[in-house]
């Protein structure tokens, strides 16, 4: 059975240093696999170990993965990351309300939780060789994204705050992504 995975990645550089996503470099990739209900983290040197999990997923879920995470990952992956079936929460929110919101704003309003830091902090951890802190930060984002997705799938909404209070974003169709998939949609590009 194929099941979803949730991903997040951290980079080695900032957009102040490079102009293109493909040049940012991956310092850490975090992944939650619904199939075995386990968390995984991969440093740059270990990224090939993540590819079978991505390729075996029914869908890759994340927050800003289409515009950011997957293009950053592309130089490491021998196939086309654009071939992965994806669900991007930030794009869903933008399509629903006409603007983008941060992961922190959504998890705060919906779950009452906050991110453990910001992306520049992850780069500082990487540059200081604080790999355990980097891994923890990355996995915190993975699990917050998973919790937000699960909340939306189970409760048919996520929420954000505006000047009047909480505003609902309907998520009635998110449940379908949690249904195990028997079909072989594989797009394996690696020689297994």
């Amino acid at each position: 059975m194929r099941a979803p995975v949730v991903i997040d990645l951290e980079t080695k550089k900032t957009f102040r240093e490079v102009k293109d996503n493909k040049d940012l470099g991956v310092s850490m990739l975090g992944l939650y696999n619904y199939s075995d209900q386990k968390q995984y983290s991969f440093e740059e040197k270990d990224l090939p170990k993540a590819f079978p999990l991505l390729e075996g997923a029914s869908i890759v879920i994340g927050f800003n993965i289409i515009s950011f995470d997957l293009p950053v990952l592309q130089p490491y992956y021998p196939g086309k990351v654009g071939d992965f079936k994806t669900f991007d929460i930030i794009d869903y929110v933008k399509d629903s309300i006409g603007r983008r919101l941060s992961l922190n704003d959504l998890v705060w309003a919906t779950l009452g939780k906050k991110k453990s830091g910001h992306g520049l902090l992850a780069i500082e951890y990487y540059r200081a060789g604080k790999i355990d802190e980097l891994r923890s930060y990355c996995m915190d984002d993975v699990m917050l994204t998973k919790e937000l997705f699960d909340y939306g799938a189970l409760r048919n909404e996520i929420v954000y705050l505006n000047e009047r209070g909480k505003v609902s974003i309907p998520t009635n169709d998110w449940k379908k992504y949690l249904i195990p998939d028997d079909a072989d949609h594989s797009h394996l590009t690696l020689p297994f």
Side-chain angles (χ1 to χ4, degrees):
M1 291 276 187
R2 293 160 52 87
V5 298
V6 178
I7 67 165
D8 181 62
L9 66 73
E10 305 307 328
T11 64
K12 300 192 305 186
K13 297 179 182 175
T14 70
F15 280 117
R16 288 186 212 124
E17 299 166 289
V18 299
K19 300 292 180 214
D20 196 331
N21 287 2
K22 68 178 176 52
D23 298 324
L24 290 169
V26 175
S27 62
M28 186 70 64
L29 172 69
L31 184 146
Y32 177 85
N33 188 357
Y34 279 87
S35 181
D36 61 11
Q37 299 180 2
K38 290 184 179 175
Q39 300 176 39
Y40 298 86
S41 60
F42 306 91
E43 293 178 52
E44 181 182 41
K45 66 184 177 0
D46 299 320
L47 286 174
K49 295 176 184 174
F51 299 151
L53 294 170
L54 294 170
E55 291 174 335
S58 59
I59 192 162
V60 178
I61 299 167
F63 196 89
N64 202 26
I65 59 170
I66 293 172
S67 297
F68 185 75
D69 298 66
L70 292 176
V72 172
L73 186 61
Q74 181 60 73
Y76 299 90
Y77 184 65
K80 294 179 182 175
V81 294
D83 288 345
F84 293 133
K85 183 177 176 186
T86 57
F87 179 75
D88 197 328
I89 295 172
I90 199 170
D91 288 344
Y92 184 91
V93 168
K94 185 178 181 216
D95 291 345
S96 298
I97 67 170
R99 65 188 175 104
R100 296 164 55 114
L101 296 171
S102 73
L103 177 61
N104 202 46
D105 288 344
L106 290 167
V107 297
W108 174 247
T110 305
L111 305 171
K113 296 182 176 186
K114 290 193 174 219
K115 285 172 46 93
S116 58
H118 53 80
L120 294 178
L121 182 61
I123 292 172
E124 290 174 24
Y125 288 149
Y126 168 73
R127 291 182 177 167
K130 296 180 177 181
I131 301 306
D132 289 340
E133 289 90 338
L134 173 62
R135 179 174 286 109
S136 178
Y137 171 80
C138 184
M139 291 311 302
D140 284 349
D141 274 6
V142 169
M143 296 312 292
L144 285 173
T145 301
K146 178 200 175 293
E147 287 180 51
L148 181 66
F149 178 81
D150 287 348
Y151 186 100
L154 297 173
R155 295 197 171 87
N156 296 320
E157 72 168 354
I158 58 174
V159 297
Y160 68 98
L161 297 173
N162 70 11
E163 60 280 350
R164 295 184 196 143
K166 288 190 174 188
V167 180
S168 175
I169 301 172
T171 59
N172 300 336
D173 61 340
W174 287 18
K175 280 186 198 90
K176 67 183 177 190
Y177 298 119
L178 293 175
I179 298 169
D181 186 357
D182 290 351
D184 182 16
H185 307 292
S186 62
H187 44 271
L188 297 176
T189 58
L190 299 177
F192 294 109

